[in-house]
Amino acid sequence: MNKQKSSLLSSTLTIMLTISVLSCSSKPERGSINGNLKNFKEGYVYLDEITIESAIPKDSAKVDEKGNFTLKFDTKEPSFYRLRLAENNYILLIVDDKEQIEFSADANNIGKTAQVKGSAESEKLFYATHHLQRNAEQLDSLNAVFQREQNNPALDSIKMVLQEAFNRMTEEEIVFIKSFIDKNTNSLACLAMIDKLSPDDNLAYYKKIDESLNKSLPNNSYSKMFHKKVLELSRLSIGAVAPEISLNTPDGKTIALSSLKGKVVLVDFWASWCRPCRAENPNVVRMYNTYKDKGFEVYSVSLDKDKAPWIKAISDDQLIWPSHVSDLGYWQSSVVKQYNISGIPFTCLLDKEGKIVAKGLRGEELELKIKQLLEIK
């Protein structure tokens, strides 16, 4: 090969190499978080992917003497990640493929002091969570005042003022969350906000997010998970027909919930081993005796696992209505998942058409609703 050809080949290879390097620089194969931590002494920073099931470690980096670090990530869809120094010192991010994120914070509290650039979704999430964090701190301050004034002779007046402030701040938080959702309906950041709104009172907002994410991120795993949740909430929402329950009584007969249609029905989930349930039973007995002749019925579903204590509790607490059922499945009972039960006692109040009109009511609130449905003044 002559010198001219060699020079030409060398020039060509140099150009190709330069193009390759520039290409890699403009379109990196992995996303990264370039960070700086103030007041960090020594150690590592960690990055976890927050999946539906768990937190999966993705990367870690040693922080240098100037507080600098770089973390790498590779995700096929917008995903929740957690950047942490410790289990109680972290910040949530929403990262997308190949984002180059700039991060800075005070190591003493990265969740409160973080600054994030280069990730629009993370910036939205931080803005919202930071606002809610400030509100939570103010609520904690109110509680601290209440605890400090326990021996004050004017406690009743102080309590009234604090309660008004608490109610106002709680309402302001709800207004903020709804406003954030209205402005960012197609953002995954809404998923971190919506759980603070009661689904019974705000199902429309759950559906609003679901519909938007189904359009903007139809194949995203978080969108799919949330869609399933909304379907489940809709199935148990106020106004929905109560899911059918058909289980055995202590003597082996089967009673279906739907067989009580035409009456106002209290579906009462309880168990013999549940102390709060047993404490509430006298109230249920009193309401049954007061309203049974006016169209009220109780359908008791036990989460017991042994038959004998179940039967004994029915007798001891004088639960005289006939509709007592159970599959003796304890927390593995079919009704737990069916009614999304996380704790007992838990109640669903049904109207005469078998539709859910209230959930979780007890005591005076429950009785007022029963009287309303029975049209008793």
Side-chain angles (χ1 to χ4, degrees), residues 239-243 257-265 295 349-357 373:
V241 175
L257 176 59
S258 59
S259 68
L260 302 180
K261 191 174 181 180
K263 295 186 177 183
V264 172
V265 179
L349 187 62
L350 315 183
D351 65 13
K352 294 179 181 181
E353 296 179 352
K355 295 180 179 179
I356 300 172
V357 294
L373 293 172

Side-chain angles (χ1 to χ4, degrees), residues 109 111-113 126 128-138:
N109 190 332
K112 187 175 181 179
T113 62
F126 179 71
T129 54
H130 191 57
H131 180 95
L132 296 182
Q133 185 180 44
R134 288 199 305 268
N135 193 68
E137 289 172 354
Q138 291 173 344

Side-chain angles (χ1 to χ4, degrees), residues 92-108:
L92 287 179
L93 304 169
I94 302 175
V95 304
D96 203 355
D97 185 35
K98 300 176 184 177
E99 284 184 332
Q100 303 299 291
I101 301 172
E102 297 296 325
F103 173 88
S104 63
D106 188 316
N108 293 314

Side-chain angles (χ1 to χ4, degrees), residues 52-108:
I52 296 170
E53 293 85 13
S54 61
I56 302 174
K58 285 295 184 178
D59 197 12
S60 63
K62 185 173 178 59
V63 181
D64 69 18
E65 65 277 3
K66 294 182 179 180
N68 298 318
F69 66 88
T70 298
L71 293 165
K72 299 288 187 178
F73 61 85
D74 187 4
T75 180
K76 297 179 181 178
E77 61 178 7
S79 302
F80 284 91
Y81 274 66
R82 178 179 66 180
L83 189 158
R84 63 179 170 88
L85 297 180
E87 288 300 319
N88 61 347
N89 190 7
Y90 66 89
I91 183 174
L92 287 179
L93 304 169
I94 302 175
V95 304
D96 203 355
D97 185 35
K98 300 176 184 177
E99 284 184 332
Q100 303 299 291
I101 301 172
E102 297 296 325
F103 173 88
S104 63
D106 188 316
N108 293 314

Side-chain angles (χ1 to χ4, degrees), residues 18-30 98 100:
T18 301
I19 292 174
S20 176
V21 170
L22 289 174
S23 176
C24 288
S25 299
S26 60
K27 294 184 179 180
E29 293 183 358
R30 300 180 68 191
K98 300 176 184 177
Q100 303 299 291

Side-chain angles (χ1 to χ4, degrees), residues 3 15 21 39 110 114 132 168 170 235-236 266 335 360 371:
K3 186 175 181 180
I15 292 171
V21 170
N39 300 317
I110 61 175
L132 296 182
R168 184 183 68 255
T170 301
R235 190 173 62 83
L236 294 169
L266 178 68
V335 298
K371 291 172 69 175

